[in-house]
Amino acid sequence: MLEAIIDQLGDSTVMMLVGLVIGLVFGAAAQHSRFCLRAAIVETAGRKLGAKLALWLLAFSAAVMFVQAAIFFEYLDVSDARQLSATGSMSGAIVGGLMFGIGMILARGCASRLLVLSATGNLRAMVTGLILTLVAQASLRGFMAPVRETVGGLWLVDGGEARNLLHVFSLGHGLAALISLAVLGFAIWLAKQKSVRLTHGIGAVLVGFAVSLGWVLTYQVAQVSFEPISVQSVSFTGPSTDTLMALVNEREIVFTFGLGLVPGVFLGSGLMALATGEFEIQRFGPETKMERYFLGAFLMGFGSMLAGGCAVGAGVTGGAVFAITAWVAIFSMWMGGLLTQWLVDRSSMA
């Protein structure tokens, strides 16, 4: 069936449609569940295990469990995915992760959260997200690319087994799925203890499921396509820059997974906000200083390109396939975010 669809529509169109479907699911689920790494970090900085942390753990552990189960049952093979096969940067994961974590606190949201909030009428998130995207593009191919390449080249790790955390610790995919299932069980228990709404919890799990579905569907397309197809899943910084450049710099748009993903997330979040009565225009004000958001956007834009992705792209999507650089990046994001929130709390009490 998939081969027939590809023959009729073409590889690029099918990949764009796959991205659109994944984006719709992710956007709607992320908006309804309030899935947000920054919110989880702020809560944890207050020395408590609360609802926001439970929601993040639900999404993260669900993504890992579904992906590892799919690999175990041979529905997925991620050995050729760039997160594992290409040379990775440990220095980039550390420095970029720290920068992203700091910026995420200052801008009150990561790259994915800013995109989701933009669709709900939050103009602060929309402007901040655009600046993040422009900085990311400048870091990837513009005047900041040499700095990124220099920092990223300080500590490299070879692709293949050296970059696969499961191989480093001699763990199988089945065991990884069981461990993540146990973490998911803890997250469900914590969500119940903190009176998380059932629909919010389901939404968080669907966020993780969307990540795994992206991996599986792109792999299935790659298996039957005559053209080389990259096995990939949800990420935001790179696809957002590609989408922006395609819209403003190309006369003819080439369909890609990311070109379907970003509009899909925006549409899914917007439709969910309208359906639940949560659409509301929000602007900058005295309590939401523009310079703080812009500084955060700059740090996240450069940091995400250095770390190999955002809190979802590097953290959840890369973490689900146990890329060592992804786990280092998400740990660094947590550390940068916790330290920044501690400083923000301390300055507010002074």
Side-chain angles (χ1 to χ4, degrees):
M1 179 180 177
L2 187 55
E3 290 182 68
I5 296 174
I6 291 176
D7 288 340
Q8 184 174 5
L9 300 178
D11 304 83
S12 59
T13 301
V14 170
M15 285 294 288
M16 187 272 290
L17 291 175
V18 168
L20 180 64
V21 171
I22 300 301
L24 285 168
V25 175
F26 185 98
Q31 162 56 23
H32 185 66
S33 66
R34 277 67 170 175
F35 165 74
C36 179
L37 175 58
R38 178 251 172 195
I41 288 176
V42 170
E43 193 174 65
T44 305
R47 299 180 182 180
K48 63 179 180 179
L49 302 179
K52 301 300 183 183
L53 177 62
L55 290 169
W56 187 84
L57 284 174
L58 283 170
F60 182 79
S61 58
V64 177
M65 182 193 69
F66 286 131
V67 168
Q68 293 303 312
I71 296 173
F72 180 77
F73 289 109
E74 300 183 348
Y75 289 105
L76 173 64
D77 182 357
V78 295
S79 58
D80 291 331
R82 68 166 180 84
Q83 289 90 340
L84 293 173
S85 62
T87 300
S89 171
M90 294 291 281
S91 55
I94 295 170
V95 178
L98 288 170
M99 291 180 67
F100 192 95
I102 295 169
M104 181 172 52
I105 298 299
L106 296 177
R108 299 182 184 273
C110 66
S112 64
R113 187 60 181 163
L114 292 176
L115 178 59
V116 168
L117 289 176
S118 296
T120 69
N122 191 320
L123 301 182
R124 298 192 305 270
M126 182 176 293
V127 174
T128 306
L130 285 172
I131 293 174
L132 187 159
T133 302
L134 291 172
V135 172
Q137 180 67 16
S139 304
L140 181 63
R141 298 188 179 93
F143 74 100
M144 288 189 288
V147 179
R148 174 185 58 79
E149 292 167 355
T150 299
V151 177
L154 294 175
W155 182 10
L156 299 176
V157 57
D158 292 334
E161 294 179 345
R163 201 174 172 185
N164 190 328
L165 203 57
L166 292 181
H167 182 269
V168 172
F169 289 102
S170 300
L171 297 176
H173 298 293
L175 181 58
L178 289 175
I179 293 174
S180 56
L181 178 60
V183 177
L184 179 61
F186 168 75
I188 292 173
W189 173 83
L190 181 60
K192 288 184 177 180
Q193 292 296 309
K194 300 304 177 181
S195 301
V196 173
R197 285 176 55 184
L198 178 60
T199 57
H200 288 180
I202 293 174
V205 172
L206 283 176
V207 168
F209 177 73
V211 170
S212 65
L213 189 61
W215 279 120
V216 171
L217 289 182
T218 57
Y219 172 72
Q220 294 300 323
V221 172
Q223 290 300 102
V224 299
S225 174
F226 289 107
E227 299 294 330
I229 298 293
S230 297
V231 181
Q232 58 190 298
S233 189
V234 180
S235 185
F236 289 100
T237 313
S240 293
T241 61
D242 291 342
T243 301
L244 181 61
M245 291 301 103
L247 293 176
V248 303
N249 200 43
E250 301 293 339
R251 295 176 66 90
E252 295 183 6
I253 296 177
V254 178
F255 291 156
T256 62
F257 175 83
L259 203 61
L261 176 71
V262 173
V265 171
F266 189 88
L267 183 59
S269 174
L271 290 174
M272 179 59 72
L274 290 172
T276 55
E278 296 174 338
F279 186 90
E280 180 185 1
I281 299 296
Q282 298 182 53
R283 304 176 178 85
F284 287 103
E287 301 300 321
T288 53
K289 296 182 179 180
M290 187 179 295
E291 58 271 25
R292 168 175 164 159
Y293 283 78
F294 288 3
L295 176 59
F298 177 87
L299 291 171
M300 282 195 289
F302 185 81
S304 60
M305 287 294 106
L306 191 56
C310 61
V312 172
V316 181
T317 297
V321 298
F322 282 91
I324 189 170
T325 47
W327 282 77
V328 170
I330 193 64
F331 176 78
S332 299
M333 290 175 191
W334 268 91
M335 293 301 99
L338 285 172
L339 176 60
T340 305
Q341 186 60 42
W342 178 76
L343 293 172
V344 168
D345 291 341
R346 187 175 181 181
S347 64
S348 65
M349 292 186 298

